[in-house]
Amino acid sequence: MLNVTSIYAALIALFFMWLSGRVIFYRRKNRISLGDAGDKSLLKRMRAQANCAEYAPIGLILLALIEMSGAPAFAVHLLGLMLLAGRVSHGVGFSASPPRMGARVFGTAITLTMILLSALGLLVHSLF
């Protein structure tokens, strides 16, 4: 069982549901059923949701592989926290009005750092 990865997968899924809810409720409130209708606020919400959907899966796959490879629980937690903090920071910063560029940049940086560290760790572990 992937006990540690399961925690972060569940938390990121809940955050993704929050991002999705923001899109859905905004669409219903403003009667926009398809596309963004040129509405910049809706577009920001849609992109925040899509960005999470683009980066979270690879991060969670890598996290699961790290855990399955026998990495210490603290290392898996650290990587999981990086992924969660990165996705939340980016999603909130990106969809805020006005956007919080510091949060967005931090979120992107910490997410990409987590992906890079995980990929390198798996390569080193697998090759040596």
Side-chain angles (χ1 to χ4, degrees), residues 68-127:
M68 289 189 305
S69 74
F74 81 89
V76 183
H77 275 293
L78 179 63
L79 292 166
L81 283 170
M82 289 174 71
L83 182 62
L84 177 63
R87 294 299 76 217
V88 170
S89 181
H90 182 275
V92 171
F94 187 88
S95 61
S97 290
R100 297 181 196 143
M101 287 306 292
R104 184 178 173 195
V105 170
F106 173 78
T108 299
I110 198 163
T111 297
L112 292 177
T113 300
M114 179 275 179
I115 291 171
L116 178 65
L117 291 175
S118 298
L120 291 175
L122 286 168
L123 276 174
V124 169
H125 181 75
S126 296
L127 294 174

Side-chain angles (χ1 to χ4, degrees), residues 20-33:
S20 298
R22 293 186 74 227
V23 172
I24 292 165
F25 293 126
Y26 191 91
R27 284 183 178 284
R28 293 189 78 187
K29 178 182 173 187
N30 294 284
R31 300 176 192 251
I32 302 171
S33 64

